[in-house]
Amino acid sequence: MRTRCPRTREYLPMTNPLVFFAPSGKRGRFPEGTSVLEAARKLGVDLDSVCGGRGICGRCQIEVGEGKFPKLGIVSAPDNVTEWNAVEARYVSKRGPLQEGRRLGCQARVCNDVVIDVPPDSQVHRQVVRKSAAIRDIAIEPVVALHYVEVREPDMHDPSSDFRRLQEALEEQWQLKDVTAPLESLRLLQKALRDGKWSVTVAIRHKREIVGVWPGLHEQGVGLAVDIGSTTIAAHLCDLASGEVLASSGIMNPQIRFGEDVMSRVSYVMMNPGGDVELTNAVREAIGEIATAVTKEVGLISNDILEMTVVANPIMHHLFLGLDPTELGGAPFALTIDGAYQTRAAHLNLPLSSGAYVYVLPCIAGHVGADTAGVVLSEGPYLKPEVSLLVDVGTNAEIVLGNRERLLACSSPTGPAFEGGQISSGQRAAPGAIERVRIDPATLEPRFKVIGCDLWSDEPGFAEETASLGVTGICGSGIIEAIAEMLLAGLITPDGVVDGALAARSPRVEEDGRTFRYLIREGEPRISITQNDVRAIQLGKAALYAGVRLLMDHYGVATVDRITLAGAFGSHIDVKHAMILGLVPDCELDKVGSAGNAAGTGARIALLNSSARKEIEEVVRKIEKIETAIEPSFQAHFVGAMAIPHKSDPFPHLEAELGITFKRGGDGETGRGGRERRRRG
């Protein structure tokens, strides 16, 4: 049998050239004239396409290898595939030139043995680094994918419906069988088919269900990853095919008007019939506003959003879904649902695409929520041999400890002090708030930085730079640094007592009733650290540390290999000062860091990778939950952790870093903590 070569048009004996794909290493023999895209599909090679091989979308770009490949027995060259054709010329005329050496895989047809390189940007499951939200590699495995199809026109002799003919086209052109469509998508179908002259693009979720329909070629599907925090709601609009973060936004959680912390919102629900509906409507309306804002920023509308993922603490999780949170207000803190949950956006009254779904990550326990599951998915302690400690610091600290062998989790009631609550000059992190503090151990004079200004308070130009901002108070990171610096300067004892004897050395140590305070800033407002402030921070940090030690006891380790502070607050804490305070246990300083909004990153991973959803669901089911409220040893750990940094636990790595030896609380010493310093970090 003879065939005509598509390149030379000469009749040649039928052959089956070998096609080798890099970097996957997959290979196979195909009849001459087979398109590179078709060969890739049959071998399961990761080569993207929306238009199904019509030369419209340009996503299947490939490069033909050149040279000898002895191990493969191939001499590859550009003319081992067909010449540039009219379809590619049309694409270039409309879209602009391809990169040098590239071809459209749907148009380049095999003539001889050939090596084909698939560039990263032509792979469906490519690794993408997105810097606009957080620097992170995310493997793209689309939950929702776009497919362009050409559908047969209706015929008087064939009574089949538009949807049946669409199903046939999807099976023939994309090998997708038994695709379904909800009413919301069916309502769009007939008009889209006729407007598109019988060509449409459909968005298909999990290769099963149509969640969007457009006339002609539609190339971009977007999704929204949302982190519902007690204070703020953050969202990232992502391209579902590339993983690119197109826009990000955040707003204050409007539920704050019902209560600043989650437990006060539960109290509001308990005391006000219908209060849960008010809180639910408030958060959903806020998410609708964010969806409108981020899509408008990139020239889209919120109805273009095809998929949404959500992380939240348990109470925010329940209120978002419209579930009663009151059982979470008291022991045994029973969740209505702890597994992952998905539902149509329309059921939640969200202004997304009519067929869009919302996927909510699983909760771990009554006070360890889907936001912590997002952190676990983002940081992946279950994949590593080292014992990692993850801490999301907030009004309620959520803690995870372990490695690939075993994971444990608990929550600990740290209170609002770390967010500025119950602190005399405390405030939330906002422009004008003191966020960094240093104290000279010789003069006891402070210097500080405020949010919104890069200068220290003792640098020229500080007053002018902060004139519009003002210096309005001190936020959580500033409080932590101030108290840690006070310990290093000897202004407080290891037991947390402000040393009034130092009033003789510095006028900044002032009487405050029967105790003393330390003045950080004169003027209006005067900003001091009072004895009550120190006690509030001690109580919060002792609760967190006790929760950590409880998990370490259950795990059977005396030290941890790595510590990661998560959340907006954790990302602004100076890790050295956090350890000086005794917020976290001793660890090598270069292995202590922050993960920023790791919960939000986890939401993005779940949005862009379908396998990640199954992965985190399985991991969460295996996490062991420890309830601090019923653990006898929690109180003992709490008492020991009241000292700064701790009454008895050693901190050898920190002491080596600072060049000091900490005095211990309760050992009779009331002098300066660490005056044996050799150097300062």
Side-chain angles (χ1 to χ4, degrees):
M1 181 180 291
R2 299 198 312 159
T3 186
R4 178 178 287 179
C5 176
R7 176 169 58 86
T8 65
R9 311 307 297 166
E10 297 177 358
Y11 283 100
L12 298 170
M14 173 72 82
T15 61
N16 290 310
L18 176 65
V19 184
F20 178 89
F21 286 94
S24 68
K26 293 181 178 180
R27 69 198 74 186
R29 292 191 176 275
F30 297 91
E32 290 178 11
T34 302
S35 74
V36 172
L37 177 61
E38 184 181 353
R41 282 181 176 171
K42 289 182 175 178
L43 289 174
V45 172
D46 199 11
L47 182 58
D48 201 359
S49 175
V50 168
C51 69
R54 295 169 179 81
I56 301 173
C57 70
R59 294 194 182 185
C60 63
Q61 294 179 32
I62 51 93
E63 297 172 3
V64 180
E66 289 190 69
K68 295 181 179 180
F69 297 85
K71 289 184 179 180
L72 303 173
I74 294 177
V75 179
S76 183
D79 61 1
N80 287 15
V81 297
T82 53
E83 295 176 347
W84 186 267
N85 66 18
V87 175
E88 289 170 298
R90 182 192 66 191
Y91 176 85
V92 167
S93 69
K94 293 179 179 295
R95 301 294 191 90
L98 302 179
Q99 291 185 32
E100 185 177 354
R102 286 200 177 184
R103 297 288 306 278
L104 295 183
C106 62
Q107 300 304 310
R109 296 179 178 275
V110 177
C111 287
N112 209 331
D113 295 352
V114 68
V115 172
I116 300 294
D117 290 311
V118 180
D121 54 300
S122 295
Q123 297 170 22
V124 178
H125 304 96
R126 49 190 166 274
Q127 294 289 126
V128 184
V129 179
R130 297 298 147 211
K131 296 185 179 180
S132 55
I135 299 174
R136 179 61 192 253
D137 288 349
I138 299 177
I140 308 302
E141 187 177 315
V143 175
V144 178
L146 302 182
H147 301 274
Y148 174 84
V149 287
E150 294 175 350
V151 181
R152 285 190 299 111
E153 295 186 37
D155 190 322
M156 288 292 291
H157 302 289
D158 179 2
S160 61
S161 66
D162 284 349
F163 181 59
R164 183 175 298 281
R165 284 180 280 107
L166 173 62
Q167 286 178 307
E168 291 171 355
L170 285 167
E171 182 171 354
E172 178 185 341
Q173 297 167 33
W174 289 99
Q175 293 76 55
L176 295 172
K177 296 183 179 181
D178 302 322
V179 172
T180 63
L183 278 173
E184 292 85 355
S185 297
L186 289 176
R187 291 188 185 109
L188 304 173
L189 180 59
Q190 290 200 320
K191 187 175 189 306
L193 279 169
R194 285 150 183 84
D195 288 349
K197 296 181 174 56
W198 309 105
S199 295
V200 292
T201 302
V202 290
I204 301 183
R205 189 173 192 265
H206 291 311
K207 300 181 180 180
R208 293 194 305 269
E209 182 178 348
I210 296 173
V211 294
V213 184
W214 300 266
L217 178 66
H218 183 85
E219 293 191 77
Q220 187 174 51
V222 297
L224 193 68
V226 180
D227 178 7
I228 306 174
S230 304
T231 306
T232 59
I233 302 172
H236 304 296
L237 183 72
C238 303
D239 185 304
L240 293 175
S242 70
E244 180 182 0
V245 177
L246 304 173
S248 298
S249 183
I251 61 173
M252 294 294 289
N253 188 331
Q255 293 177 337
I256 283 179
R257 67 178 181 266
F258 301 99
E260 283 209 350
D261 58 72
V262 291
M263 294 313 295
S264 62
R265 293 174 206 175
V266 173
S267 297
Y268 181 85
V269 171
M270 290 176 173
M271 294 185 292
N272 296 275
D276 54 335
V277 176
E278 290 181 81
L279 287 158
T280 293
N281 289 340
V283 71
R284 290 181 183 174
E285 287 170 9
I287 291 172
E289 291 173 15
I290 292 180
T292 299
V294 292
T295 49
K296 183 179 180 181
E297 188 177 326
V298 295
L300 300 173
I301 59 174
S302 63
N303 285 343
D304 290 319
I305 296 172
L306 299 170
E307 185 86 3
M308 182 172 124
T309 52
V310 174
V311 295
N313 65 54
I315 291 171
M316 294 298 95
H317 167 282
H318 274 41
L319 287 170
F320 168 69
L321 289 175
L323 302 174
D324 188 344
T326 54
E327 289 297 324
L328 295 171
F333 312 109
L335 292 153
T336 300
I337 182 173
D338 57 4
Y341 187 76
Q342 64 181 20
T343 187
R344 291 192 179 282
H347 295 167
L348 303 178
N349 298 317
L350 295 174
L352 311 186
S353 170
S354 58
Y357 276 83
V358 176
Y359 174 87
V360 185
L361 274 72
C363 288
I364 297 172
H367 283 296
V368 187
D371 50 353
T372 304
V375 174
V376 171
L377 178 59
S378 173
E379 296 304 300
Y382 56 91
L383 301 172
K384 303 169 185 175
E386 61 186 7
V387 177
S388 299
L389 172 66
L390 305 179
V391 182
D392 192 344
V393 186
T395 304
N396 195 67
E398 298 176 345
I399 309 164
V400 176
L401 176 76
N403 61 6
R404 63 191 181 195
E405 302 296 329
R406 183 185 179 201
L407 284 177
L408 295 85
C410 75
S411 64
S412 198
T414 51
F418 293 131
E419 296 178 346
Q422 300 177 352
I423 301 296
S424 59
S425 299
Q427 68 165 86
R428 294 192 183 277
I434 293 175
E435 63 171 344
R436 295 281 177 261
V437 177
R438 297 292 182 270
I439 299 174
D440 188 308
T443 65
L444 303 184
E445 283 297 301
R447 60 192 184 103
F448 55 83
K449 293 178 76 172
V450 301
I451 296 173
C453 177
D454 292 330
L455 299 175
W456 286 88
S457 58
D458 60 346
E459 292 182 299
F462 175 81
E464 292 77 11
E465 286 282 331
T466 58
S468 59
L469 296 172
V471 180
T472 54
I474 185 166
C475 66
S477 61
I479 296 163
I480 286 175
E481 292 195 8
I483 294 177
E485 288 283 317
M486 288 171 71
L487 178 78
L488 294 177
L491 286 160
I492 57 175
T493 68
D495 285 325
V497 177
V498 180
D499 189 354
L502 293 179
R505 283 184 52 199
S506 172
R508 291 189 175 274
V509 180
E510 303 175 334
E511 285 191 37
D512 185 20
R514 289 191 286 181
T515 60
F516 290 84
R517 63 182 175 224
Y518 175 71
L519 180 65
I520 291 179
R521 179 184 184 265
E522 298 182 86
E524 285 297 325
R526 293 181 99 243
I527 298 174
S528 301
I529 301 296
T530 69
Q531 184 63 70
N532 286 338
D533 295 340
V534 177
R535 285 288 181 254
I537 292 295
Q538 283 180 280
L539 290 168
K541 77 97 176 179
L544 193 156
Y545 192 96
V548 171
R549 282 308 311 267
L550 198 60
L551 293 189
M552 292 171 68
D553 289 349
H554 278 268
Y555 200 87
V557 293
T559 60
V560 297
D561 299 317
R562 182 173 298 276
I563 299 174
T564 301
L565 302 174
F569 179 55
S571 67
H572 290 94
I573 299 174
D574 178 86
V575 295
K576 185 186 297 184
H577 286 84
M579 197 175 290
I580 293 168
L581 182 67
L583 194 67
V584 292
D586 187 66
C587 184
E588 293 181 38
L589 267 293
D590 62 354
K591 293 186 177 179
V592 183
S594 68
N597 184 15
T601 301
R604 281 197 296 134
I605 294 170
L607 178 69
L608 299 170
N609 188 302
S610 60
S611 293
R613 299 184 180 188
K614 296 177 183 176
E615 186 173 302
I616 192 59
E617 290 168 20
E618 291 174 2
V619 169
V620 164
R621 280 196 293 269
K622 295 175 183 177
I623 294 177
E624 301 171 44
K625 295 83 174 176
I626 307 300
E627 181 51 65
T628 57
I630 60 173
E631 287 287 334
S633 59
F634 181 82
Q635 190 62 29
H637 284 310
F638 179 86
V639 171
M642 280 292 290
I644 306 174
H646 195 276
K647 185 174 182 179
S648 57
D649 283 2
F651 283 77
H653 292 104
L654 179 62
E655 290 178 339
E657 174 75 16
L658 296 175
I660 66 174
T661 300
F662 287 112
K663 290 185 172 68
R664 299 299 178 190
D667 62 1
E669 296 282 356
T670 57
R672 300 166 192 166
R675 285 298 292 158
E676 299 90 335
R677 88 177 36 77
R678 297 185 296 276
R679 56 186 172 83
R680 282 290 302 274

